[in-house]
Amino acid sequence: IILYFLYRMQLTAAVEGIIRVNTNGLIEMDSIIHEMSCDELVLEINNFFTDENARREVLTQICQQRYNVGWPVRADGLQDVRLHRVGARHAEVLDYLRARRGTVIDVGGAMGGWTSEVASAYLDRSSGTSWKENHTFFSVKTINDPREWQEILTYVQKYGKFDFAICTMVLEDISTPAIVVDLLKQISQAGYIETPSKFWELSKACGTPYRGLIHHRWIFSIVKQRWTAFPKLGFLEYQPTLDSAIYDQFHHPDSCWNHSAAVLSFFWSASTFNLDLANDDFLGPTVDHIPSIYNPLIFDDTTSAIHSCFPSMPPVDNLIQ
């Protein structure tokens, strides 16, 4: 009884300036906690709580409260990288751009409409529902063909780069995303990107016989702190090893695609923004070698970000055979 009492006293104490416990026993957090990685949280909690059960209880409560703001992931050359639910950061991005009041181009998002309030221009296949008379529209047939970007490159050469470029849920659809990444840097000083995370792209949670969305060509993740793209090859459908790496238990029960870590997003600056292609975009040197290219994807930095928050998560299988 005495030990339990001491445990509860320790659990309800505060990590000064960061963690507090309210009268209902729930964790309240200072806003700085949303900028901390799970590794930093673990270090903070381990320094304060000596009891392992207390550590786990506090950590789980914190991470559960962070579902809406997402899990931060470290990555070289990118800012504020997070895993989160679909659409969870749109309001944040809009608020950020309202405050800046710069020139904004949305690349590939004319049909979506969520950026119409802040976008001054669009580059897309179709004007969709977002285009208005006060928007400049650059029409392309193939978004990853540099020849199609000549109009906007000429425009930028004459008027200067846009202050900010938004490109959400586009890069996974196209055959050569690295080309678009390079072009984004040519037309804008900075920007914001979203793609499906590997947790969404490898899941069969919607009851489909295939992983993720059928029209996607790439899987994006953070590997060794590098933003990396893996080609979405057909053989991945037959790799049960991947099932342990997607955390289907984080799917919302009312929506099979509403995974708490469905989206990978970040802000970028043109001077530090790069995309790595797995194995330098080489499917080799032999056919037998190809499966091993995907082994870094199984337990990468995005998995680590979640796993460090939930130490009781089931183990992830190590290798694709």
Side-chain angles (χ1 to χ4, degrees):
I1 294 175
I2 294 174
L3 290 175
Y4 179 77
F5 178 71
L6 292 173
Y7 158 70
R8 293 307 303 180
M9 285 183 61
Q10 189 177 44
L11 181 62
T12 55
V15 176
E16 186 176 358
I18 297 178
I19 303 172
R20 300 173 297 277
V21 182
N22 65 23
T23 55
N24 295 320
L26 295 176
I27 300 296
E28 294 179 345
M29 300 170 291
D30 190 272
S31 60
I32 193 175
I33 218 163
H34 298 315
E35 307 303 323
M36 298 172 68
S37 71
C38 279
D39 289 339
E40 291 167 332
L41 282 173
V42 170
L43 180 62
E44 190 76 37
I45 291 167
N46 286 349
N47 287 338
F48 187 79
F49 295 104
T50 58
D51 183 89
E52 182 62 32
N53 290 328
R55 291 172 176 173
R56 182 163 297 191
E57 183 172 340
V58 172
L59 189 58
T60 299
Q61 285 191 40
I62 289 172
C63 289
Q64 286 174 342
Q65 291 187 33
R66 290 175 65 172
Y67 274 7
N68 289 330
V69 296
W71 287 278
V73 185
R74 289 194 182 95
D76 294 339
L78 308 177
Q79 293 86 51
D80 201 5
V81 185
R82 294 190 206 170
L83 296 163
H84 55 84
R85 289 192 173 100
V86 174
R89 299 191 75 178
H90 289 180
E92 173 193 350
V93 174
L94 293 176
D95 287 344
Y96 174 81
L97 292 174
R98 289 188 195 105
R100 287 173 59 94
R101 297 188 178 184
T103 55
V104 178
I105 184 167
D106 188 326
V107 175
M111 293 295 290
W114 73 272
T115 63
S116 59
E117 177 189 344
V118 295
S120 48
Y122 288 91
L123 182 145
D124 209 338
R125 288 171 51 87
S126 169
S127 59
T129 57
S130 299
W131 182 82
K132 297 177 182 177
E133 290 184 1
N134 60 335
H135 292 141
T136 302
F137 189 82
F138 300 95
S139 179
V140 294
K141 292 182 179 179
T142 306
I143 202 168
N144 55 314
D145 184 346
R147 295 170 297 182
E148 297 275 345
W149 288 58
Q150 192 55 54
E151 181 185 9
I152 191 170
L153 291 173
T154 301
Y155 177 92
V156 167
Q157 186 176 21
K158 182 177 181 179
Y159 297 104
K161 287 185 176 183
F162 289 89
D163 294 311
F164 200 83
I166 297 171
C167 186
T168 57
M169 299 301 174
V170 172
L171 298 177
E172 68 278 3
D173 297 342
I174 59 180
S175 60
T176 51
I179 289 177
V180 173
V181 168
D182 183 62
L183 289 165
L184 286 171
K185 292 190 289 185
Q186 293 183 49
I187 67 167
S188 184
Q189 302 284 357
Y192 172 77
I193 277 180
E194 286 184 2
T195 67
S197 72
K198 72 171 186 182
F199 303 106
W200 186 0
E201 205 60 79
L202 295 174
S203 176
K204 296 182 180 179
C206 281
T208 60
Y210 47 82
R211 298 186 185 277
L213 298 181
I214 198 169
H215 63 291
H216 290 174
R217 300 179 177 188
W218 294 88
I219 303 167
F220 291 86
S221 201
I222 307 296
V223 178
K224 296 181 179 180
Q225 299 190 25
R226 301 286 298 177
W227 185 40
T228 307
F230 295 78
K232 193 177 176 186
L233 300 183
F235 88 98
L236 296 174
E237 304 290 349
Y238 307 99
Q239 295 296 322
T241 297
L242 296 174
D243 296 336
S244 68
I246 56 178
Y247 296 156
D248 273 344
Q249 60 268 49
F250 288 159
H251 281 286
H252 192 280
D254 297 331
S255 173
C256 58
W257 288 126
N258 194 9
H259 192 297
S260 298
V263 178
L264 178 67
S265 70
F266 55 83
F267 291 83
W268 56 268
S269 170
S271 61
T272 60
F273 176 44
N274 292 291
L275 172 64
D276 291 350
L277 299 179
N279 204 41
D280 297 322
D281 201 25
F282 176 48
L283 293 177
T286 67
V287 172
D288 292 337
H289 179 78
I290 293 173
S292 67
I293 294 173
Y294 293 81
N295 285 330
L297 184 64
I298 298 175
F299 199 103
D300 59 11
D301 298 16
T302 64
T303 299
S304 180
I306 293 178
H307 212 272
S308 60
C309 275
F310 292 90
S312 60
M313 290 297 295
V316 176
D317 293 337
N318 292 324
L319 298 174
I320 297 178
Q321 301 299 325

